[in-house]
Amino acid sequence: LSNRNKGFVFDADNLTLGNYLDRWINDSVRDTVRQRTWERYEQIVRVHIKPALGRVKLKNITPTHARALYREKLDTGLAPRTVNYIHTTLSKALKDAVADGLITRNPASSVKAPRPKKKEIRPLSSEQAKAFLETVLGDRFEAAFVVALHCGLREGEILGLTWSDVDLDAGTLQVRRTLSEALAGHLFEPPKNGKGRSVKLTARAVEALRNHLTRQIEEIESLGDRYRDQGLVFPSRVGTPMSAKNLTARSFKPLLKKAGLPDIRFHDLRHTFATLMLQNGEHPKVVQEMLGHATIAITMDTYSHVLPNMQRDAVARLGTLLS
């Protein structure tokens, strides 16, 4: 009764799903996930769930409501991956409602969400990767592309690097943050798995970063007070965080075209790194740690296309050993 008088207890009998979701998204989710993740949850609730089910009382939500929502969204042409995210959001919200004692069970837990199609991985071959690296020689972001191919960093991790993260003498770098582009602007957030990692640099990556540092110092000296130094390794020309969209549109895509290569995503450079490492016989655990995957299962599932060749080579080596 004391909690109710203070406004801490919902009127569960009359609480609609829409009202509950408004409180859930701001009280339970905000500040517990990355900003872009929260924005995605908020968008899913506002655009997809509330217009369809917002007026239904929370206690009256059934699996049929959830199933009908997913079917309606699929029939309107929404991608299965997005519908799956709707299911994840609704199920998470209702699970918290059960934990809060507002409902007795999660009606979305028994509903099968559509299976999202995996994004196609389009790694470059070793010959294509070499051709790309030759094409980027002298480009302002040459070192960024070298780090992507030689170290497997995500684009946001590359753009979030500061010089304090890089030890050129030791040939290592620390991934401590990622640069995200949220509605509020650029944000530095923890890496995707929530913790950082140390990555060993190749000789080519060290050389590229040294040359990049020399070029950056010249830029700083030429701009003087106009340069807004934030210690970033790959900033804009005036020192501010670099937009991933601009990097892709103004540098990466034109360089791909110049090299005569397929129109891949920047993220496919990371996939190229992992694929070439695995094809070359590197242990998957090493690849997992360099990529920053939370578990080795994620690595093996993502790069399952490499497994047949790995098994063939392993069997051939075993045959040679035992012959």
Side-chain angles (χ1 to χ4, degrees):
L1 290 174
S2 175
N3 285 338
R4 183 182 298 275
N5 291 334
K6 294 177 182 177
F8 294 157
V9 178
F10 292 115
D11 182 3
D13 287 338
N14 295 313
L15 182 65
T16 65
L17 178 63
N19 289 335
Y20 170 71
L21 288 174
D22 287 338
R23 296 195 182 192
W24 174 78
I25 200 72
N26 287 296
D27 297 342
S28 299
V29 181
R30 188 187 287 272
D31 299 325
T32 65
V33 296
R34 298 168 66 186
Q35 177 64 22
R36 288 187 65 184
T37 303
W38 180 86
E39 289 176 359
R40 183 64 168 153
Y41 276 131
E42 190 278 332
Q43 181 190 44
I44 289 293
V45 167
R46 173 171 44 83
V47 176
H48 298 292
I49 301 179
K50 284 181 61 178
L53 302 176
R55 295 182 179 180
V56 181
K57 289 184 178 181
L58 176 63
K59 66 176 185 178
N60 292 336
I61 294 292
T62 66
T64 301
H65 285 104
R67 197 175 292 112
L69 172 63
Y70 306 157
R71 171 47 52 195
E72 176 190 351
K73 295 299 179 180
L74 288 171
D75 289 345
T76 59
L78 206 61
R81 179 173 295 276
T82 303
V83 179
N84 187 270
Y85 206 96
I86 293 173
H87 169 73
T88 299
T89 304
L90 180 61
S91 184
K92 179 176 174 62
L94 294 176
K95 180 180 178 181
D96 287 349
V98 173
D100 290 340
L102 300 175
I103 52 178
T104 58
R105 68 185 184 91
N106 181 352
S109 62
S110 61
V111 180
K112 289 185 178 180
R115 180 176 298 179
K117 296 180 181 178
K118 287 187 176 181
K119 290 184 179 180
E120 183 182 359
I121 293 177
R122 301 173 62 191
L124 300 174
S125 66
S126 58
E127 292 76 16
Q128 290 175 322
K130 290 177 183 177
F132 180 71
L133 290 174
E134 290 176 2
T135 303
V136 303
L137 284 171
D139 186 83
R140 184 171 181 270
F141 288 102
E142 172 192 348
F145 301 129
V146 172
V147 169
L149 274 173
H150 281 243
C151 305
L153 268 65
R154 301 177 178 90
E155 186 175 22
E157 293 171 344
I158 292 174
L159 296 179
L161 281 175
T162 64
W163 284 112
S164 62
D165 301 324
V166 181
D167 188 335
L168 295 178
D169 293 330
T172 60
L173 64 77
Q174 303 294 323
V175 179
R176 296 190 174 103
R177 72 195 66 77
T178 184
L179 178 64
S180 298
E181 297 184 25
L183 294 176
H186 289 103
L187 294 174
F188 292 104
E189 299 181 304
K192 192 171 183 179
N193 68 351
K195 60 182 180 179
R197 66 187 186 277
S198 178
V199 177
K200 184 66 178 178
L201 296 170
T202 62
R204 172 70 189 280
V206 171
E207 178 187 11
L209 284 167
R210 287 191 189 278
N211 293 336
H212 180 76
L213 177 58
T214 300
R215 184 185 301 113
Q216 190 178 83
I217 291 174
E218 293 174 354
E219 288 184 356
I220 294 174
E221 291 177 346
S222 65
L223 287 175
D225 293 339
R226 290 178 295 166
Y227 192 85
R228 298 161 62 183
D229 192 4
Q230 299 184 29
L232 295 170
V233 178
F234 300 109
S236 68
R237 291 189 180 275
V238 295
T240 55
M242 182 66 190
S243 167
K245 293 179 180 179
N246 288 343
L247 175 62
T248 296
R250 299 175 185 177
S251 185
F252 179 58
K253 293 293 186 178
L255 287 168
L256 281 176
K257 187 175 182 180
K258 182 179 178 181
L261 296 173
D263 185 24
I264 61 173
R265 304 166 301 164
F266 190 103
H267 197 72
D268 287 318
L269 297 182
R270 173 176 163 89
H271 291 319
T272 299
F273 160 82
T275 300
L276 293 178
M277 289 279 282
L278 291 169
Q279 287 178 341
N280 198 43
E282 191 54 70
H283 195 286
K285 185 63 178 178
V286 175
V287 178
Q288 175 215 334
E289 292 175 350
M290 294 189 72
L291 291 174
H293 284 162
T295 66
I296 195 170
I298 296 175
T299 307
M300 300 308 293
D301 182 58
T302 303
Y303 301 103
S304 58
H305 63 285
V306 185
L307 292 179
N309 290 336
M310 292 175 63
Q311 293 176 0
R312 181 192 62 200
D313 295 341
V315 170
R317 288 194 298 270
L318 179 63
T320 300
L321 180 66
L322 298 178
S323 61

